[in-house]
Amino acid sequence: MSQKISPLAGKPAPKSILVDIPKLLAAYADLKPDPSVAAQRVAFGTSGHRGSSFERSFNEWHILAISQAICEYRKSKGIDGPLFIGADTHALSQPAFESALEVLAANGVQAMISSGGEFTPTPAISHAILVHNRGRKSGLADGIVITPSHNPPDNGGFKYNTPNGGPADTDITGWVQQRANALIEGGLKEMKRVPYAQARKAATTHEHDYLNTYVADLANIVDFDAIRSAGVHMGVDPLGGAGVHYWAPIAERYKLDLTVVSAEVDPQFAFMSVDWDGKIRMDPSSSYAMQRLIGLKEQYDVAFACDTDHDRHGVVTRSSGLMEPNHYLSVLVDYLYRHRPQWSTNAAVGKTVVTTALIDRVVHRLGRKLYEVPVGFKWFSEGLFDGSLGFGCEESAGASLLRLDGSVWTTDKDGLVPALLSAEITAREGKDPGELFAQLTNELGKPFANRVEAAATPAQKAKLAKLSPDQLQSQQLAGEKIEQVLDKAPGNGAAIGGIKAIAASGWFAARPSGTEAIYKIYAESFKSEDHLQSLLKEAQSIVDAALA
């Protein structure tokens, strides 16, 4: 059950594992998916359609079909404003962008592409949609984000964001997926398309300055005066991602002591250290992937990184090195709700069911309301949109929050803002987030947490997703009475696609992966590392019994 750590983990990527970019791009154009093979069909997981052109799971046909389906969906819903589209630095993102634009132009959609072909972070798209739609009842905008997030260099990803700025919900993605697959089955005969050169020159294609619009607005969500006057010395590693050219303008505009550690962009991501399983992954919360920045921790008061589409953050402090996402998120909640006086006193704290219970304790002490939802950032979009949530976060280092005045900022994850907030926290508290976490755990208890994965067949995954509390045979969990078993999230009553069992000093949750042939068990103890191991072991046997 324990994860097997690769001998390459944490080491510089050897040439032997680097992806062959020309071959990857050729496969995108040349290989056609077979819709009778499940793995080659359009499939929207929690974050859009993802795959690799080598495996015929992310090819030109997929993108043409999805783009056409999105055009038809918008038309059916009367969404006739501009569509904001942007791409990250993965090799497959550019050809996917070109395919999408060919379809958008042919369908007469007003497409907003980035000025000068600049890479576009996910939060900059969400931000652009919301800024356009503010105060409007008609001519609403939506968007397309082309990114497989922190996934390996041979991956591509494509997702649709609705007029509320957030990722589309399952009813929408289900419709788009079904229509796209029908288009592929019909040989794309119903798809409209013009050549790329023509699409670029179309009257409906407009350049939009995502970078400067987003950067100029940051002063409305981060207290740069505090950072500047405290002289916080910062380092950032964009990990060769979509926000690579955003950091220098941020430093310049707000006169910050911020060093960009590397501005290198390389579709092979050869500068990365290898992740735990021997793959290259631009994951800012993995200590294996973050070796470069961890090595520089003594040089800065606080340093940070973002993943490839800049919707996740990783924070490195002098006091504690790379912080676990759950640890930093707990500090962030505690800090924000004490330093955002203009937020509504009713603004709740959003978290997913597998995010640390330390946040529950922080929220209780703050006298705030907790809003606990299934995995997937889309569950926070409405609350962030209407201000009923001040902050929403998930254990994989994804978060977004309100502006200083309590109005909406983004309804999709933003990696840049939580990264910059690590400097605001350091400036205003006189301690870095690592020191503040130590203080928090002295007061509220120290969590020991882990997540493990195990192989699962599609049938087992389906069974696990439908587990109900009464199927759990056990009354005990690591020597304590099980107080609650959930198959629905307490915040919104939505199915969590698995189960969560809670005892006095620990909990576990089990759910199938949306993208891989595995299931995941999350566990957390407020007692000890030994108690955590018992939780994981018992969780494993409880799940095994339920799947048998």
Side-chain angles (χ1 to χ4, degrees), residues 19-32 52-56 58-61 91-92 95:
V19 63
D20 181 333
I21 300 293
K23 212 167 158 181
L24 183 74
L25 298 177
Y28 174 83
D30 301 340
L31 298 182
K32 305 257 186 296
S52 172
S53 60
F54 291 143
E55 287 156 22
R56 296 180 196 250
F58 191 94
N59 304 82
E60 186 176 54
W61 273 45
L92 289 172

Side-chain angles (χ1 to χ4, degrees), residues 179-363:
R179 178 62 182 143
N181 283 318
L183 286 162
I184 291 172
E185 281 160 7
L188 297 184
K189 288 189 184 64
E190 293 177 73
M191 175 205 52
K192 295 177 183 167
R193 180 188 190 183
V194 297
Y196 180 65
Q198 194 182 325
R200 262 315 256 110
K201 292 197 194 95
T204 49
T205 300
H206 313 277
E207 290 210 343
H208 178 74
D209 188 354
Y210 289 99
L211 190 155
N212 286 305
T213 311
Y214 177 90
V215 170
D217 210 3
L218 280 170
N220 292 308
I221 190 166
V222 177
D223 183 352
F224 288 114
D225 295 340
I227 299 173
R228 194 170 45 249
S229 56
V232 182
H233 184 41
M234 297 164 276
V236 60
D237 189 344
L239 301 180
V244 64
H245 301 134
Y246 279 54
W247 295 102
I250 289 171
E252 199 178 330
R253 184 180 188 102
Y254 299 109
K255 305 192 170 30
L256 305 176
D257 178 3
L258 172 63
T259 304
V260 181
V261 171
S262 167
E264 185 180 357
V265 174
D266 164 22
Q268 289 185 307
F269 294 90
F271 53 78
M272 289 295 297
S273 47
V274 179
D275 205 5
W276 66 273
D277 57 355
K279 291 183 176 171
I280 294 176
R281 218 180 258 106
M282 289 58 71
D283 180 355
S285 52
S286 161
S287 59
Y288 299 107
M290 285 277 280
Q291 283 299 304
R292 177 162 71 186
L293 202 57
I294 294 169
L296 300 172
K297 78 180 176 87
E298 297 304 326
Q299 294 178 30
Y300 303 101
D301 296 324
V302 63
F304 34 83
C306 289
D307 66 339
T308 325
D309 66 324
H310 271 51
D311 73 343
R312 297 175 192 220
H313 59 274
V315 170
V316 174
T317 67
R318 211 172 257 174
S319 65
S320 61
L322 177 67
M323 292 187 73
E324 283 183 34
N326 273 321
H327 296 182
Y328 179 57
L329 292 168
S330 303
V331 170
L332 208 44
V333 169
D334 189 52
Y335 172 82
L336 286 168
Y337 284 80
R338 289 186 293 107
H339 291 85
R340 293 295 184 266
Q342 289 176 269
W343 286 10
S344 159
T345 49
N346 299 322
V349 178
K351 65 160 232 185
T352 60
V353 288
V354 295
T355 306
T356 179
L358 181 59
I359 288 178
D360 307 36
R361 296 179 178 199
V362 169
V363 171

Side-chain angles (χ1 to χ4, degrees), residues 100-155:
L101 195 64
E102 291 171 355
V103 173
L104 295 171
N107 281 274
V109 172
Q110 302 285 335
M112 311 298 282
I113 66 173
S114 68
S115 310
E118 181 56 70
F119 305 115
T120 310
T122 291
I125 300 269
S126 180
H127 177 267
I129 295 168
L130 291 163
V131 168
H132 175 85
N133 289 345
R134 194 180 294 146
R136 282 179 198 266
K137 290 278 180 278
S138 61
L140 295 179
D142 52 2
I144 288 173
V145 190
I146 304 173
T147 174
S149 189
H150 59 296
N151 280 19
D154 68 347
N155 275 228

Side-chain angles (χ1 to χ4, degrees), residues 485-519:
V485 182
L486 306 173
D487 61 348
K488 292 184 174 59
N492 60 358
I496 60 181
I499 52 156
K500 180 176 181 177
I502 305 160
S505 34
W507 60 270
F508 84 83
R511 55 179 289 271
S513 164
T515 45
E516 301 167 88
I518 56 171
Y519 67 84

Side-chain angles (χ1 to χ4, degrees), residues 406-484:
S407 63
V408 64
W409 170 253
T410 60
T411 47
D412 207 336
K413 299 190 287 263
D414 188 328
L416 296 94
V417 170
L420 288 163
L421 286 171
S422 67
E424 182 192 317
I425 290 170
T426 305
R428 293 192 54 181
E429 299 284 13
K431 292 176 179 157
D432 74 36
E435 294 169 302
L436 292 167
F437 176 72
Q439 194 177 307
L440 207 54
T441 55
N442 278 339
E443 296 159 359
L444 298 174
K446 185 179 180 188
F448 300 84
N450 203 354
R451 182 183 98 183
V452 287
E453 296 168 356
T457 63
Q460 286 174 318
K461 282 173 65 176
K463 198 169 176 184
L464 178 56
K466 291 191 176 70
L467 266 193
S468 66
D470 53 9
Q471 283 172 274
L472 226 62
Q473 304 301 318
S474 183
Q475 310 291 311
Q476 296 269 319
L477 184 57
E480 294 180 327
K481 181 175 171 289
I482 293 179
E483 293 171 1
Q484 240 187 326

